[in-house]
Amino acid sequence: MPALRPTLDMLRLHLACGLGLLTRLPITRLVPAPYRNTTTVWPMARSLWCWPLIGAGIGLFSGTVLLLTRLIHMPPLVAACLALTAQTILSGGLHEDGLADMADGCGGATPARRLEIMRDSRVGSYGVTALCLSFGLRAASLASLPLPGILPGCIVAACLARASMLILPATLPPARPDGLARMLLPIPRRPFALAMLSALLCVLGAALLGWIAHPNLAASLAAMLGALLIVTLTAAVMTRAALKMLGGYTGDVLGACAVLTDSLVLATLATVAQIPGFF
């Protein structure tokens, strides 16, 4: 057991890095003693493997809120708004902040000016519009999910949202020499591969959960394949946009990618669920 202590401490530290970044959960007790009250830099890049798993946990939480409120016959749109509120409180609105900043940055004429605008803490009209559209799309999609598809859909969307944001630092240089973007470099291959594998396993697990809730395995797998396709396309578009607009990625770009992926995956699953005979 003592021989496993360093490994367990490192796993705890990785989980603390992921939870501390992606949620507002207290992580003090999770941090190993040598890293408490020190100026030692945490290995943020090494924690990538757990980001999709943390996303799946966030999706499970918001999906449970949505399912319970729907089971007590709360109006679907009201229940969806409550689920999104719970999710935003848990995550601290980190990704939504990135979406708003990147949207505001679109008003700049040069990469340097766009980066300057994105660093400004104030939110402009582009940012407000992007937030309203993203919350509206997610709320409408969640309200359209049938009961058997709520938990699988929320888990997949949140998991793939956190997985998609890892593709950008793996393919782009950082647009700034500081911030979160710099902390992720160089992207370690093994944690990145484990993150992609964990995301795939979460998708397969969600498909199985959907099949248990509603015995139509082919339909569940088709919905999950559609979600994976949307993730691929979203990451590709965001990579191209970040390179053209900023010359690389920033933490705001990663957050924007996560919100867009979450929104589009939920919209895709809600659309597929409306196909006659699917549910």
Side-chain angles (χ1 to χ4, degrees), residues 22-34:
L22 301 176
T23 74
R24 288 298 174 264
L25 294 175
I27 60 172
T28 304
R29 294 187 178 182
L30 189 60
V31 179

Side-chain angles (χ1 to χ4, degrees), residues 4-52:
L4 293 176
R5 187 60 180 269
T7 301
L8 293 176
D9 282 348
M10 190 55 61
L11 290 176
R12 288 172 56 195
L13 182 60
H14 290 172
L15 287 172
C17 288
L19 288 170
L21 176 67
L22 301 176
T23 74
R24 288 298 174 264
L25 294 175
I27 60 172
T28 304
R29 294 187 178 182
L30 189 60
V31 179
Y35 284 86
R36 297 177 187 171
N37 302 319
T38 68
T39 57
T40 304
V41 178
W42 289 14
M44 188 65 69
R46 306 295 302 182
S47 72
L48 297 182
W49 64 269
C50 67
W51 290 17

Side-chain angles (χ1 to χ4, degrees), residues 35 97 118 122 146 159 177 212:
Y35 284 86
D97 178 71
M118 291 168 64
R122 293 169 295 183
C159 173
I212 293 174

Side-chain angles (χ1 to χ4, degrees), residues 48 51-52 95 98-99 102 115 118 160-176 180-188 192 195-196 230-262:
L48 297 182
W51 290 17
H95 306 315
L99 174 67
M102 187 173 182
L115 289 171
M118 291 168 64
L160 293 181
R162 277 69 185 181
S164 68
M165 61 191 289
L166 300 180
I167 297 175
L168 276 72
T171 55
L172 290 175
R176 290 194 185 105
L180 173 64
R182 196 64 183 176
M183 295 176 63
L184 296 178
L185 289 182
I187 293 292
F192 178 78
M196 297 299 106
I230 289 298
V231 171
T232 304
L233 293 175
T234 303
V237 171
M238 286 297 297
T239 299
R240 176 63 178 171
L243 184 61
K244 184 177 181 180
M245 290 176 53
L246 307 172
Y249 75 96
T250 67
D252 288 332
V253 174
L254 302 187
C257 184
V259 175
L260 288 176
T261 301
D262 193 12

